[in-house]
Amino acid sequence: MLAIEKALFLSLCSGLSAGYQWRRRLSAPVSDDRIPPTVLLDGRQLAELAALYRQGDAEALEIVRSLQARADAILEKPVVRVTDKGPVAGGESPNGESPNGEFPNDYRSLAKYWWPDPAADDGAPYIRRDGEVNPACYADHFDASRMVFLAESLQVLSLATWFTGDAAYRERAVAQLEAWFVTPESRQSAHFQFAQIIPGRSSLQPSGLIEARHLIYVTESILLLEGADALPASLSAALREWFRELLAWFRTSDKGLAAGKASNNVALWYDLQCLAYAWFVDDDTLVQYIVTEVAVTRREDQVDLDGSLPAELDRANPMDYVAFTLAAMSQLSRYGDATGVPIWSQTDGDGRSFQRAHEWFIQQAEVKESREASQGLLDEARSSDQQGQVVSRLGETGDLVLQLAMVNRLADARRRMLEVRDRQTKRKTVRIAELERELASSEKKLKTLTQKQGKEAEQIMEENKQASARLERLEKELVKAREARIKELQDVIHRQEEQARDGERQRELQQQVKDQKEKLAQLETRFRDAKRQFDTRFAESETAKDALAGENDRLERELKQRDTDNQKLKEKEKRFGELLKSNEKELEKLLKAFRERPKASAVDDAKQREEIKKLKQELRGQQRKVARLQETADRQKLRADNFKERSDKILKSRSWRMTAVLRKLTGGDSGKKR
């Protein structure tokens, strides 16, 4: 468990409270509007301690100074981001994606109790060793240690901001929240799909959601900062939107649903997180459902009639897991108290309850004298300097409210422990006296036996010397055999390392082949997409081609009509020309007749001249008509030529556009092979 979880577990389960001490020293009661909206941390006690700090109370000043020292140490460290981890095994693609489908913004951690298989060259698939933590899970290319630092640093910074109002603490808390939850380049993706991965195994690990529990304490820190008016409204809204997305993933993803169906502590921590996040985003319906419906189901499924937790007793360190489960139960109960539902003491008709499970745990711890294995924090309270150790431990966690909460009850706890020790000491004293009497009797018998059987004793001593000599020889032989075995194992390890290097090269080649196959698949996908686009564009081009053909037919019909009109104009021109020639011939005949006629009177000559004048006027009129018809025919022909030229340009333009479309669909020049 985290240090804050141990402190909360102790406070919630023992009922310790320091509020009554502080209230006696307050100059005035704390008003309700000064109480922060936290749930796990007692808001009234925080407000009362802050009031004492402002009054200059010596004890409060000492607590806050200790808190400031921790906050100052955090200011000297860089802001942590989920993207600070190194590359995943196997490398990453240019967009940051790993071979397992992870991205740098995804939270990634290693399953704690899974170790490389020594029988496999690459150690995969990993094998389970329950109760033995693999130290590789805290490596820098995993996010587990960064998540712990995120929760603990925000807790210290939020408390320091609440008590002192120092802008440096507030600004660092805001920067940390923005880096982890808001900034697009560094924000964590709102899921834990890759929490507690197991190399070589693709199955889901619902237990990975337990690592997300650190965010419960992040929400407490956010509520405390909001109570101190230290967060911008836009940041508060962005944080709630992120947790709303996380809550949706918890309740809809395969991994989240599997965690909710678990039969051990995983399900309780899943319920607690859903409840805490629903409380944080103001989803009152879900909050009521969990505290009234789900908690009842967990009591029935996990708590036995005697208060034990059968699902946790099969583990390697059962009492540790019982304590861890009770921590989740106690925090669920705190949210239940906030909604008016007494989850801790609430019981079914058969007596099952979270409180009964806690009582069973205490009974077992007392009987087996294993408080160190099951309740480390209470174990410290039993030592001679318990008060200093516990207060110091709680001071290190930053949960300063519980420091004074422990002081008044530790003396009583020590007295009870001393009484138990006195009883144990008396029993041991009686036992020692019995052993001393038995030892004296044995010595007396041994002395008598020595006096009677001195020679036998000397023989036995000689045999012991010989046995010792043989034992020394055996030890030397064993050392030589062990050295030979170590050398043999070193040779085996050397050969395995060489095989591992060969296997690594083979895996690199396999990975390259896999990458090439993936690239080929991508190219095939792109080709199929391009072909579909080409078919679509080709169909569109066929439609456009049909429309263009119709347009061409219309233009050809118009051209034919123009040709017909031109032909008619030519025929008219021809008829007018023939008429003109006929008129000219008629005129020539008249002129010739006029010249050959006998001279007549002047009156006849005048008439003849008048007729000739009229004939000339008619002839000129006919010539003008012929000229106009010729001009009209020329204009019609010019218009037809222009129209044909424009039609050719339109056809060429559309043909060029169709060619460009085809080139674009094929990805380049039509002559280039793709």
Side-chain angles (χ1 to χ4, degrees):
M1 290 190 293
L2 296 175
I4 181 176
E5 290 171 341
K6 294 180 181 179
L8 290 171
F9 175 55
L10 179 62
S11 175
L12 297 173
C13 295
S14 63
L16 299 179
S17 174
Y20 74 93
Q21 295 185 63
W22 297 335
R23 294 188 188 103
R24 291 181 298 179
R25 302 203 301 269
L26 286 171
S27 59
V30 175
S31 59
D32 291 343
D33 59 350
R34 301 283 297 179
I35 299 175
T38 55
V39 180
L40 299 178
L41 298 176
D42 192 324
R44 180 169 294 279
Q45 292 184 17
L46 290 174
E48 291 172 349
L49 183 58
L52 284 174
Y53 172 71
R54 289 190 293 271
Q55 287 178 200
D57 183 84
E59 192 172 10
L61 289 173
E62 182 180 355
I63 292 173
V64 174
R65 279 196 294 268
S66 175
L67 177 64
Q68 285 180 294
R70 288 206 65 210
D72 292 338
I74 292 174
L75 294 180
E76 297 177 359
K77 298 179 181 179
V79 171
V80 295
R81 299 171 176 82
V82 74
T83 54
D84 290 341
K85 56 179 167 288
V88 299
E92 295 180 349
S93 60
N95 63 357
E97 182 182 5
S98 77
N100 297 326
E102 306 167 44
F103 287 87
N105 295 73
D106 296 334
Y107 179 89
R108 180 172 75 235
S109 66
L110 178 68
K112 295 174 63 176
Y113 302 135
W114 291 81
W115 293 72
D117 186 354
D121 293 339
D122 58 352
Y126 276 28
I127 57 176
R128 181 178 175 83
R129 288 157 60 177
D130 193 20
E132 299 182 35
V133 178
N134 185 347
C137 66
Y138 301 112
D140 189 61
H141 56 273
F142 293 115
D143 294 314
S145 57
R146 276 183 288 275
M147 177 63 75
V148 173
F149 179 79
L150 171 74
E152 293 187 347
S153 64
L154 284 174
Q155 182 195 16
V156 173
L157 292 170
S158 61
L159 285 169
T161 302
W162 169 258
F163 289 119
T164 68
D166 193 322
Y169 305 143
R170 175 183 60 80
E171 292 172 359
R172 172 55 187 270
V174 169
Q176 181 62 78
L177 289 169
E178 289 178 341
W180 194 279
F181 298 104
V182 180
T183 304
E185 294 80 10
S186 62
R187 72 189 293 267
Q188 179 193 340
S189 303
H191 66 76
F192 282 80
Q193 183 66 27
F194 304 107
Q196 292 199 4
I197 59 175
I198 302 176
R201 298 178 185 268
S202 59
S203 59
L204 294 174
Q205 291 296 315
S207 59
L209 270 63
I210 291 180
E211 292 188 9
R213 75 186 191 279
H214 303 85
L215 298 181
I216 299 173
Y217 316 117
V218 172
T219 62
E220 286 285 288
S221 300
I222 296 172
L223 292 173
L224 188 57
L225 290 169
E226 290 176 340
D229 295 327
L231 289 186
S234 58
L235 178 56
S236 295
L239 291 170
R240 280 177 170 77
E241 181 60 28
W242 191 93
F243 277 94
R244 194 173 288 109
E245 293 179 14
L246 178 64
L247 179 60
W249 183 85
F250 259 70
R251 295 181 56 78
T252 58
S253 66
D254 293 340
K255 197 167 186 177
L257 295 175
K261 296 177 182 178
S263 59
N264 58 359
N265 65 84
V266 175
L268 286 165
W269 284 106
Y270 170 82
D271 295 340
L272 175 59
Q273 290 187 74
C274 290
L275 179 56
Y277 305 151
W279 180 281
F280 183 66
V281 302
D282 300 323
D283 190 345
D284 297 335
T285 302
L286 181 57
V287 169
Q288 289 297 323
Y289 170 73
I290 294 175
V291 299
T292 58
E293 302 293 336
V294 178
V296 176
T297 304
R298 300 306 182 202
R299 285 200 305 270
E300 296 174 352
D301 294 344
Q302 300 200 28
V303 182
D304 208 347
L305 294 176
D306 61 350
S308 63
L309 304 176
E312 310 302 337
L313 297 179
D314 295 334
R315 304 297 296 271
N317 302 308
M319 299 305 287
D320 286 350
Y321 284 101
V322 172
F324 188 54
T325 305
L326 287 172
M329 291 179 175
S330 62
Q331 294 185 41
L332 277 168
S333 302
R334 178 58 70 89
Y335 280 95
D337 294 340
T339 58
V341 180
I343 297 178
W344 182 252
S345 59
Q346 194 177 50
T347 180
D348 298 328
D350 54 8
R352 303 173 197 257
S353 69
F354 290 169
Q355 185 176 8
R356 181 70 188 94
H358 175 251
E359 292 171 353
W360 177 89
F361 174 69
I362 295 299
Q363 293 171 0
Q364 296 300 313
E366 290 176 350
V367 170
K368 298 180 180 180
E369 297 183 353
S370 59
R371 290 184 181 273
E372 181 178 357
S374 60
Q375 260 182 324
L377 193 57
L378 289 177
D379 219 17
E380 294 176 5
R382 295 160 60 183
S383 63
S384 59
D385 57 346
Q386 63 209 19
Q387 295 184 8
Q389 287 189 13
V390 173
V391 172
S392 175
R393 180 73 173 276
L394 294 175
E396 291 177 358
T397 65
D399 198 346
L400 301 173
V401 177
L402 295 176
Q403 295 182 24
L404 294 179
M406 287 294 301
V407 171
N408 290 328
R409 297 293 295 274
L410 289 177
D412 293 337
R414 182 183 180 186
R415 179 179 54 77
R416 290 193 297 271
M417 292 299 102
L418 290 175
E419 290 176 355
V420 173
R421 282 189 175 181
D422 288 341
R423 290 194 294 270
Q424 293 174 351
T425 302
K426 289 179 180 179
R427 289 196 298 269
K428 290 179 180 179
T429 302
V430 173
R431 179 59 177 164
I432 289 172
E434 293 176 353
L435 292 174
E436 287 178 349
R437 287 194 296 272
E438 292 178 0
L439 179 61
S441 176
S442 299
E443 288 178 350
K444 185 177 180 180
K445 291 179 181 179
L446 179 61
K447 185 177 181 180
T448 303
L449 182 63
T450 303
Q451 291 174 353
K452 291 181 179 180
Q453 300 179 353
K455 293 182 179 180
E456 294 179 0
E458 291 178 358
Q459 292 176 357
I460 292 173
M461 292 176 65
E462 184 65 25
E463 291 176 356
N464 288 338
K465 290 180 180 179
Q466 294 176 359
S468 298
R470 288 196 300 271
L471 181 60
E472 289 178 359
R473 289 195 301 272
L474 290 174
E475 286 180 352
K476 291 179 180 179
E477 293 176 357
L478 180 61
V479 169
K480 292 180 179 179
R482 184 160 55 178
E483 291 177 352
R485 180 58 177 167
I486 290 173
K487 184 177 180 181
E488 181 181 353
L489 290 175
Q490 289 176 346
D491 294 338
V492 172
I493 292 172
H494 181 68
R495 290 195 299 272
Q496 289 180 349
E497 289 177 349
E498 292 180 351
Q499 293 175 359
R501 287 193 291 270
D502 295 338
E504 184 66 26
R505 288 194 292 271
Q506 184 177 2
R507 285 192 295 276
E508 290 178 357
L509 292 175
Q510 291 176 352
Q511 184 62 37
Q512 292 177 1
V513 172
K514 183 179 178 181
D515 295 341
Q516 293 297 328
K517 288 182 178 179
E518 290 178 355
K519 290 180 180 179
L520 180 59
Q522 292 175 359
L523 290 174
E524 290 177 351
T525 302
R526 289 176 57 189
F527 176 76
R528 287 194 296 271
D529 294 341
K531 188 175 183 302
R532 285 196 296 270
Q533 293 179 4
F534 174 79
D535 293 340
T536 303
R537 296 292 180 84
F538 184 75
E540 293 175 355
S541 66
E542 287 295 328
T543 303
K545 184 177 180 182
D546 294 340
L548 184 60
E551 183 69 16
N552 290 338
D553 294 339
R554 187 181 65 80
L555 293 175
E556 288 178 357
R557 287 195 299 272
E558 290 184 1
L559 287 174
K560 289 180 180 179
Q561 185 65 34
R562 297 286 183 180
D563 292 338
T564 303
D565 294 341
N566 290 337
Q567 188 66 29
K568 290 180 180 179
L569 288 174
K570 288 180 181 180
E571 290 177 357
K572 287 182 180 181
E573 181 181 358
K574 183 178 180 181
R575 286 197 301 273
F576 277 111
E578 292 175 352
L579 180 60
L580 181 60
K581 289 179 181 179
S582 175
N583 290 335
E584 288 177 350
K585 289 179 181 180
E586 186 68 25
L587 182 59
E588 288 177 357
K589 288 179 181 181
L590 289 176
L591 289 174
K592 185 177 181 181
F594 177 74
R595 291 189 188 99
E596 292 177 354
R597 71 178 178 81
K599 294 182 180 180
S601 61
V603 177
D604 293 335
D605 292 340
K607 289 181 178 179
Q608 290 292 332
R609 284 195 294 273
E610 187 67 25
E611 290 178 358
I612 291 171
K613 184 177 180 180
K614 289 180 179 180
L615 288 172
K616 288 182 178 180
Q617 289 177 352
E618 290 178 359
L619 180 60
R620 284 195 293 272
Q622 292 294 333
Q623 289 176 344
R624 283 195 296 273
K625 287 182 179 180
V626 170
R628 284 197 297 272
L629 288 173
Q630 184 66 36
E631 291 176 359
T632 301
D634 292 339
R635 284 196 300 273
Q636 292 290 343
K637 184 177 181 181
L638 181 61
R639 290 177 60 187
D641 293 339
N642 292 336
F643 185 77
K644 184 175 182 181
E645 184 178 355
R646 287 198 305 273
S647 299
D648 293 339
K649 289 181 178 180
I650 291 172
L651 290 175
K652 290 180 179 179
S653 175
R654 292 184 178 178
S655 175
W656 179 84
R657 290 179 181 175
M658 288 299 298
T659 302
V661 169
L662 291 174
R663 288 178 178 175
K664 185 175 181 181
L665 289 175
T666 55
D669 296 337
S670 60
K672 185 177 180 181
K673 294 183 179 180
R674 304 291 292 177

